[in-house]
Amino acid sequence: MHSEIRTVRDPELRVQIVEQRSAFDRNPQECLKEYHAGQEEFKERIVKAQEMLPNVSLDYDLRVKISQVCGELDVDGLRGDIVTNRAAKAYAAYNNKTE
């Protein structure tokens, strides 16, 4: 499994990112205060997902599909299958689902 990081191409989003960074550079404390509530909600959602994770299961057909895709992509060994299964479970838990 890998991740690919690309640059943002949408000009409006790029401007928004630059403006946010400029605001942080001007007044870091104010910027941190502005985003504090959102960051706390995000943190709570992650903690809840971590607590749910042991109760999340993946449907057999989904596990087969994951292995099928890994096989078609000629992924060496089973690490891709294992990591993708773990990621799918984490994603489900993050979205407050047990399946």
Side-chain angles (χ1 to χ4, degrees):
M1 184 161 195
H2 76 283
S3 65
E4 188 172 327
I5 300 171
R6 295 183 182 181
T7 189
V8 175
R9 300 219 181 268
D10 177 16
E12 291 180 12
L13 183 55
R14 291 175 69 98
V15 168
Q16 179 185 358
I17 293 167
V18 170
E19 288 173 350
Q20 288 174 343
R21 178 56 201 228
S22 295
F24 179 81
D25 289 341
R26 279 190 309 276
N27 191 340
Q29 293 305 320
E30 183 62 33
C31 192
L32 292 173
K33 204 183 316 180
E34 179 181 343
Y35 289 97
H36 180 75
Q39 290 294 312
E40 285 300 310
E41 289 175 21
F42 185 52
K43 182 173 76 174
E44 289 172 15
R45 189 170 176 190
I46 291 170
V47 169
K48 184 177 179 184
Q50 289 172 325
E51 292 168 353
M52 281 184 66
L53 199 54
N55 301 316
V56 175
S57 63
L58 295 180
D59 182 68
Y60 178 78
D61 291 338
L62 178 59
R63 289 181 282 147
V64 169
K65 185 66 175 175
I66 290 169
S67 291
Q68 177 187 0
V69 169
C70 287
E72 288 173 1
L73 293 174
D74 202 23
V75 175
D76 189 33
L78 295 173
R79 184 164 302 279
D81 303 56
I82 293 166
V83 170
T84 305
N85 275 273
R86 287 179 182 168
K89 290 174 79 172
Y91 183 74
Y94 182 75
N95 287 291
N96 203 29
K97 297 182 180 183
T98 57
E99 281 190 20

